[in-house]
Amino acid sequence: MADIIRLLPDHVANQIAAGEVVQRPASVVKELLENAIDAKATEIKLIVKEAGKTLIHVIDNGFGMSETDARLSFERHATSKIQAAEDLFNLHTKGFRGEALASIAAIAHVELQTKKEATELGTRIKIEGSKLVAQEVIATPTGTSIAVKNLFYNIPARRNFLKSDAVELRHIIDEFQRVALAHSNIKLVLYHNGNELFNLPSSNERQRIVNILGGKTNEKLVPIEEDTDIVKISGFVGKPEFAKKSRNEQFFFVNNRFIKSPYLHHAITAAFEGLLKEKMQPSYFIYLEVNPETIDINIHPTKTEIKFDDEHSLYAMLRATVKHSLGQFNIAPVLDFDRDANLDTPYDYKNKQAAVPNIQVDRSFNPFADEKKITGNTAAPRYTNYKKEATEGWESLYVGLESKSNANAFSSVNIEFESEEMTSSLFTNEEPRETLTYQLHRKYLVSSIKSGIVIIDQHRAHQRVLYEQLLRNITVSEAVSQQLLFPVKFTFSISEIALLKEVKESLENIGFMFSDITDDTIELSGIPSNISESELQIIIEQMLNDFQGEIPDTGFSQTDVLVKSLAKSMAIRTGKKLEIEEQQALVNNLFACKEPTISPFNRTIFITLSVDDLDKKFI
């Protein structure tokens, strides 16, 4: 029988590895930036075109590579970071597997230019799909310049899976920000299609956060710091009043490496317990320094997950440190409202001696003094303190009627008996004309219908009503906008501003009027007529959060996402009490909709119970 197991060619193995390492252009950005940091660069420039699909170019002033190292860097598992398996638990660099450049070169056109400081000339290498096209000696500055062009050119299926340019650019910005926050001492610049998005000078951690997220961020930050034998904790948390619904401002760094840890995130939320509104997320930028031997980084291809030797101690220390800082800077309340004031001892009692309590006894007290003797059968039970209450007159049964003493008035009243029609009406099958509506647990509306009852989710019902109203205002008639007496300004991060610019036209179709947009602020002079100014910031943040996953390419889809977000933000919440008129109006408006059965998010709005269904419950 012929042998069927064969070794895969290197270019096929590299493409398989690329599926794990390079998922989208942002993955290439991450790997190239980390290589530049490992090369001890102090200035890094990132140039991107068409969200990385056409070009990703990273230029650094690191120590560069020799001609041999430059060629070997594109081979699988070729690395200068580790030499033995034991080195995996003593890592001080970003990369260590030696897979990134080989994977990138297998699915793109790569051009590398590098030179060491001690040499006069550098090396230029050009590779296309793992094949070496050219290698020559050139004059180039000290450091490394690597350009990745036409990503996924030989894997069309992977290229088709990429999202729109706006979405891919946002992922690139996320990776750029993570690297920038972890290394505030490095100057970083980002260009996209010739426009400068970030120019971050070398600074401290606080200045780097402010440079990335905007000038108003400085007043939101509360520093934290703790140094123990297990971990050194530093960084900042956001004040509770500036919390957002999104998790865009939550960063953990372990030994200057960005990680994701739901367990440590829970420690932060536990420290903020009682300080945040429902569904609000705290902001934090936390840097942890631990012994490399106590963590395992090599558990995920993206290296964003880490295993700790003693997670429980780390959890307790992180929670205590954040809670201490919130209290130290008067963020957390210092009063304990659950304290029993009766247990407090006055200060003037401090030096007093304890006195013997004075006990008074009523010697004349007799619990059987009111007991009455009951004569008769001695076997009958005895009842203590038995008193027969005086029975009120029979007249009390007729309170509100005319007194019997007023005979003349009573005789003048015409007494009518129930007619046969009134008696028979109790047994007719006619339904009452008026539809009754009742609010149950301030969450559901119960309304009677001819065949039984209908139970409506008030929040989802209002979502559907608002969704169709807003769509009708935009598509059928012009959007109604109310002018603000004084324009309002809101501060957002650079990435959020870029997102708002992408959907600006759709927002204007809904009724928003922009008077100014800068790098970190927007100014609104008009808002939709059915939005209150007090809820404006919450609604805009909710829209940004809804757009985090995807920005539709077509205008109609953008409008649809915006209308859904507005309907979700403006709909009445569970727990809101509705008056009878409001309940009836909501029910009528719901069944006047084109699609009253499901919400804009494809969730059931109401259920019906027929009389037969109710009868079966009583079997």
Side-chain angles (χ1 to χ4, degrees), residues 2-8:
D3 299 332
I4 60 175
I5 296 178
R6 298 180 179 85
L7 286 175
L8 289 174

Side-chain angles (χ1 to χ4, degrees), residues 469-486:
Q469 285 179 354
L470 290 169
L471 270 185
R472 194 181 308 115
N473 291 339
I474 295 171
T475 56
V476 179
S477 60
E478 293 183 359
V480 180
S481 179
Q482 59 179 350
Q483 295 294 316
L484 299 175
L485 185 60
F486 300 102

Side-chain angles (χ1 to χ4, degrees), residues 446-511:
V446 182
S447 182
S448 61
I449 56 176
K450 187 174 182 179
S451 61
I453 61 173
V454 58
I455 303 174
I456 304 170
D457 187 308
Q458 65 182 32
H459 178 61
R460 296 180 187 177
H462 201 205
Q463 281 184 358
R464 166 54 64 178
V465 172
L466 289 172
Y467 174 76
E468 294 200 6
Q469 285 179 354
L470 290 169
L471 270 185
R472 194 181 308 115
N473 291 339
I474 295 171
T475 56
V476 179
S477 60
E478 293 183 359
V480 180
S481 179
Q482 59 179 350
Q483 295 294 316
L484 299 175
L485 185 60
F486 300 102
V488 292
K489 282 187 176 183
F490 299 104
T491 303
F492 296 101
S493 65
I494 295 177
S495 58
E496 290 173 334
I497 292 292
L499 182 56
L500 284 171
K501 289 180 179 178
E502 290 287 335
V503 298
K504 180 174 177 288
E505 184 177 352
S506 297
L507 289 172
E508 290 174 341
N509 292 335
I510 289 177

Side-chain angles (χ1 to χ4, degrees), residues 345-594:
T345 304
Y347 288 111
D348 55 355
Y349 277 53
K350 179 180 179 180
N351 298 322
K352 286 188 176 182
Q353 298 295 326
V356 179
N358 185 18
I359 303 175
Q360 295 181 355
V361 179
D362 185 4
R363 299 185 182 279
S364 63
F365 174 73
N366 183 4
F368 305 101
D370 295 332
E371 181 179 356
K372 294 183 179 181
K373 295 182 179 181
I374 301 177
T375 59
N377 187 4
T378 57
R382 297 170 59 85
Y383 297 95
T384 306
N385 296 333
Y386 175 78
K387 291 183 180 180
K388 184 176 181 180
E389 298 293 338
T391 305
E392 296 182 1
W394 61 271
E395 296 91 343
S396 62
L397 300 175
Y398 301 94
V399 172
L401 299 178
E402 295 292 337
S403 174
K404 68 176 181 177
S405 61
N406 192 357
N408 294 331
F410 186 78
S411 60
S412 64
V413 176
N414 294 325
I415 301 176
E416 294 182 0
F417 295 93
E418 289 184 347
S419 63
E420 292 183 0
E421 288 79 11
M422 295 181 65
T423 305
S424 62
S425 66
L426 297 174
F427 303 98
T428 58
N429 294 325
E430 296 179 0
E431 294 290 339
R433 293 183 179 179
E434 182 182 1
T435 302
L436 301 177
T437 304
Y438 174 74
Q439 188 178 25
L440 181 64
H441 295 301
R442 297 187 177 184
K443 182 177 183 180
Y444 299 105
L445 299 180
V446 182
S447 182
S448 61
I449 56 176
K450 187 174 182 179
S451 61
I453 61 173
V454 58
I455 303 174
I456 304 170
D457 187 308
Q458 65 182 32
H459 178 61
R460 296 180 187 177
H462 201 205
Q463 281 184 358
R464 166 54 64 178
V465 172
L466 289 172
Y467 174 76
E468 294 200 6
Q469 285 179 354
L470 290 169
L471 270 185
R472 194 181 308 115
N473 291 339
I474 295 171
T475 56
V476 179
S477 60
E478 293 183 359
V480 180
S481 179
Q482 59 179 350
Q483 295 294 316
L484 299 175
L485 185 60
F486 300 102
V488 292
K489 282 187 176 183
F490 299 104
T491 303
F492 296 101
S493 65
I494 295 177
S495 58
E496 290 173 334
I497 292 292
L499 182 56
L500 284 171
K501 289 180 179 178
E502 290 287 335
V503 298
K504 180 174 177 288
E505 184 177 352
S506 297
L507 289 172
E508 290 174 341
N509 292 335
I510 289 177
F512 288 93
M513 298 184 66
F514 294 86
S515 55
D516 188 27
I517 298 181
T518 64
D519 291 339
D520 59 352
T521 60
I522 64 169
E523 185 179 86
L524 294 173
S525 59
I527 59 177
S529 57
N530 46 8
I531 295 179
S532 63
E533 188 177 340
S534 60
E535 300 175 345
L536 195 53
Q537 172 127 18
I538 298 175
I539 291 175
I540 294 177
E541 289 180 356
Q542 181 65 51
M543 283 194 298
L544 290 173
N545 190 34
D546 291 338
F547 269 113
Q548 290 300 317
E550 174 65 43
I551 302 178
D553 295 326
T554 62
F556 176 78
S557 298
Q558 286 187 5
T559 303
D560 184 63
V561 174
L562 287 174
V563 169
K564 284 182 180 179
S565 179
L566 282 173
K568 180 171 62 175
S569 302
M570 297 164 56
I572 55 176
R573 299 293 177 186
T574 298
K576 179 178 175 60
K577 183 179 179 181
L578 301 179
E579 300 297 334
I580 297 297
E581 295 80 5
E582 294 175 322
Q583 298 173 21
Q584 195 65 46
L586 180 56
V587 173
N588 293 337
N589 290 334
L590 172 64
F591 288 103
C593 293
K594 294 182 179 179

